[in-house]
Amino acid sequence: MARAFKGTINLDVRDSVPDWGAFLEGTAPEGAPNVLVVLYDDTGCAAWSPYGGRIEMPTMDRLARDGLTYSQWHTTALCSPTRSCFLTGRNHHQNGFASISETAFGFPGYSSHIPPENATMATVLRDAGWSTFWVGKNHNVPVDEWHMGASKKHWPLGMGYDRFYGFIGGETNQWYPDLAEDNHYIDQPYGPEDGYHLSKDLADKALAFIRDSKQSAPQKPWYLWFCPGANHAPHHAPEEYIEKYKGRFDDGYEAYREWVLPRMVAKGILPEGTALTGLNPMPDGTFSPADAVRPWDSLSADEKSLFSRMAEVYAAMSEYTDAQVGRIIEYLEESGQLENTLVIYAADNGASGEGSPNGSVNEGKFFNGWPDTVEDNLPFKDRLGSPDTYNHYPTGWAAAFSTPYKMFKRYVYQGGVCDPLVIHWPAGMKARGEVRHQYHHATDIVPTILEACGVEFPEVVNGVEQTPLAGVSMRYSFDDADAPTRKESQYYELFGHRAMWHEGWKAVTVHGPTSSLSKFEQDAWQLFHTDEDRSEDVDLAAEHPERLEALKALWMEEAKRNNVLPLNDLAVAGDDIKKYLELEFHVPVPPSGQYVYYPGTSEVPERSAANVHSVSYKVIAELDLTADAQGVVFAQGSRFGGHSLFLKDGGLHYVFNFLGVPPEQHVSAPAPGEGAHLVGVEFTKERTGDRGESHGPLKLYIDDQVVAEAEIRTNPGHFALCGEGLCIGYDGGDAVSALYGPKFPFTGGTIAKVVFDVADDAYVDLEAHFAAAMSRD
C-alpha cells in the first residue's frame, strides 16, 4: 500500500531530504513466519494415514506428529468454491464461486469473478512484506479469461502473487499437463518417457521459487500456496507406487468402512460410539443415480479386481505426491526454515463420486453424461494410472474414503464437507501430536494465517472498501485443546444441496446435488445434533421442529446476504446438458459465424474456442504444400476426446475421437499435391441420440471436392473439463489420435489460416454479437 512521503522537498536537491520508505516494499514484522499451504483435491478424512486410513502419507504423518490434526474442519464440498475461500477469506458465493469455473453462470454468486471488495490474502501479505507464490492447480481464473487475449487481472499475478506455475482449470493430465507460467501458457519441460510427472515438476518449481527469493532477500518471509493435481482425476502415478498398494483394497469398500472407523476412533479423530452411516443413505429419487454405490458382494470377480486396482492407483498418486511435498519439507529443515514456517496441509473437499458406480477409464464421460460400463473398462485394468487412461475409481471408494459420513464430494453432508487438516508450526505452538475438535471451515484459514503473521486485513485495498472476512482465526485452538469453538454459524450450498450449521446443530435438505429435482421449496429437511452425532446419523427433525425452522430461516438469511440464489441442481445428463451449455459463458459468435485461427500461436482453451459440440460445423484450412508435407493442421482435445485434421504418409486424415471410445472415427483420402489448397471438413448434425450426442455425415474436402465421407457422432458436452485447447499447426499435450505421436508439428509447407464456421447451427445472441462487431469497426 502507498505510504506518505516524509522527506523534505526544496528547490535545490542539496537542501532536500529523501524518504526511501515511501517507495520501497513493506517489511514483515520481526520474527514473522513463512507460510506453506498444501491443498490437495478430492480426499475424504478416512483415506489418509494421519486419520487412520490405509493410504500412507509419511510427510503428513510427520507434520501431524509434531503439530495438530483437526477433526471438524470443513470445506464447501467442491474445489473452486473452497479455493476461493482460501484466496479471500470470504464465503464462496460472495466470491462468485457457487460452482467451478467451468460451470459459471451470469449471476453474482455464480460468475467466477472475485469482486474487488474481496481482495486476496496474497495481496495483503505481499503489501506487508512477504514474497507470494502459487504453484499447481488454479481453478479460480474466470472461464472467460482463460485465453491469451483476455485480461489477466484474475490470473494469479493479478491476484497478489509474485509468481505462478501450474494449470488454470480444474484438472489436467498428470503425464501431459496443460501448463501456464505467470501470465502465459507453456510446454511441459520434458515428457513421461524421461520421468515426468506433474507432482514432481510442481515440487521442483516450488523449491526454485523459494530458493530464488531467499538468496536475494534472505530475511524476507514467503507465502507459498502449493496445489498439486492430486487427488483429482485423472489418477496417474508411477508404476512402483502403484505396485506398492497391490492387494491392499481387495477386501472391498464396505469392508474398508468397517475397518477404518475403529482406527479413526482409536486415533481420537472420532468419539467412541460414532455411527457408521449407510452405504446408500439417501432415499431413492432424492439424488442422482450416477452417485449410487453398487454393493461389493453384488460384483463379479472381474469387477472386484478392476475396482480394487482403481483404489490402488488413487492411493499411489496420493502417496507419491506426499513424497514430493516431503522434498519441500526436507529442504525447509535443511535450510533452517521449517521451525518458523506455518504449514497448513489440507484437502479441498470430500472423496469424489465422479467415477460413477462402475468407475471410469476416462472421466470425461462423466462430464458428458455418458455412462461407463465395466465391459469398456476391464481391458484397461493393467494400464490404470498410465498415460493410456484418464481413470477414476467408482462411487463405492468415494463412500469408503469418506467414512463414517454420508455421501461424498458435491454433497453438503459431512462426507462432502468434512476434510483433513494438519497444522504444523513449531515456533508458534507448544502442542505436539494432538487432535483438535473445534468446528471450523475453509473461511477460517485466512484469518488464522493473518493472525499468525501479525497482519490485519485492511479496510481498504487498492482504493476499494472491503467486505469483512467471513471466518474466525483458529489460532486460539493451537495450545488449548479444550477451548470452546469460536465459530458460531456456517451455511452450505452446492448444486442445490443445502445445509445450515449453528452452535452444534445442522439442518440439511434431502435434495442431492446435480439431481435435477428442482422444486426446492418442497424439500424435506433433516436435523442433526452434530456435537453428539458426528456422522449425522440420527434425524431429530420431528423432535425439534422449532429448532429446524430457525435453522432454515437462518439459511435463507445467509443465502440472501451471500448471493447464494438462484439455486442450481441441473444434472450433467439429458436435457439439462443443453441448459448448462445455454447458461455457461460463450465466446461471442461473430455475425458471420466464423472464427479465424493462425499458426504460431498459443493454444486456445476449449471454452474460448469455436464450439463444435451439439452443432453442425465446417473447418477450412488454407495450405501451401510441398511434396513431403506432413503434420497436424489443427487439433483440439486428447486421446480421451477430441478431433484433429492432419497430413501423414501421403494422406489427408480427419479423426473425431468420441470420448476415447474405440475405434477412432476416421476419414482419409490421398493428400493433395504441391501448391495452394483448401482442405477441411463439414459435419452436418442430422439427429440427436438418446444421451445428447449428435449424429450425421462428416465430409472431407480438398478444394471444392468431397474426397471421403462417413457417419460420425460428436460430443454432447465438452472434450474435457478443461485444458487440451485448440492448436494450429501442432497437437499440444496428449495426442488426439493414435496415428501420430506428441505434437506432430506441421512441416513441409505453410498454414495460412484455419477457419471454423458454425453459422448454420450456432446459437447467436444477435444483440450481443452486433455490439461485439461494432466494437471492432
Side-chain angles (χ1 to χ4, degrees), residues 619-621 623 625 629-634 644-655 666-673 677-681 698-703 705-709 739-740 744 746:
V619 188
I620 301 295
L623 309 179
L625 305 177
Q630 69 169 357
V632 169
V633 178
F634 78 82
S644 176
L645 181 68
F646 57 96
L647 292 160
K648 185 174 185 289
D649 298 333
L652 175 67
H653 306 265
Y654 176 76
V655 164
H666 176 213
V667 293
S668 64
H677 294 279
L678 297 177
V679 302
V681 295
L698 185 287
K699 298 178 181 178
L700 181 66
Y701 280 88
I702 295 177
D703 298 321
Q705 299 297 312
V706 176
V707 293
E709 184 172 354
L739 296 174
Y740 59 83
F744 196 37
F746 186 84

Side-chain angles (χ1 to χ4, degrees), residues 10 32 113 116 122 215 244 249 265 570 626 661 665 699 705 744 755:
N10 290 312
H113 286 249
Q215 75 173 1
K244 181 178 179 179
F249 299 96
V265 172
L570 291 171
T626 63
V661 177
Q665 300 174 116
K699 298 178 181 178
Q705 299 297 312
F744 196 37
V755 180

Side-chain angles (χ1 to χ4, degrees), residues 412-552:
V412 298
Y413 288 120
Q414 288 288 83
V417 300
C418 190
D419 293 294
L421 170 66
V422 166
I423 299 180
H424 178 273
W425 185 23
M429 57 173 61
K430 297 176 183 178
R432 297 289 186 272
E434 297 180 6
V435 177
R436 293 292 181 265
H437 299 291
Q438 290 89 352
Y439 191 103
H440 281 289
H441 183 264
T443 51
D444 302 330
I445 295 297
V446 165
T448 303
I449 292 173
L450 291 178
E451 183 180 356
C453 291
V455 176
E456 291 188 7
F457 206 102
E459 295 181 359
V460 176
V461 176
N462 294 329
V464 179
E465 186 174 346
Q466 295 294 292
T467 56
L469 296 178
V472 300
S473 172
M474 301 164 62
R475 191 175 181 186
Y476 73 92
S477 69
F478 285 5
D479 289 317
D480 191 349
D482 299 321
T485 299
R486 292 187 181 179
K487 196 172 189 71
E488 294 183 356
S489 301
Q490 181 61 49
Y491 83 90
Y492 297 90
E493 190 280 333
L494 212 289
F495 292 135
H497 198 210
R498 292 161 282 158
M500 186 72 221
W501 179 87
H502 179 68
E503 295 181 346
W505 292 79
K506 183 178 174 184
V508 189
T509 58
V510 188
H511 185 137
T514 62
S515 59
S516 196
L517 294 174
S518 189
K519 301 178 181 177
F520 298 101
E521 68 282 356
Q522 299 177 19
D523 282 344
W525 288 70
Q526 297 171 311
L527 178 67
F528 304 105
H529 190 192
T530 56
D531 279 353
E532 305 293 332
D533 177 17
R534 292 274 290 277
S535 60
E536 300 171 354
D537 183 56
V538 181
D539 181 8
L540 300 175
E543 288 88 337
H544 300 279
E546 292 182 358
R547 185 183 293 275
L548 176 61
E549 290 304 314
L551 287 175
K552 289 165 63 175

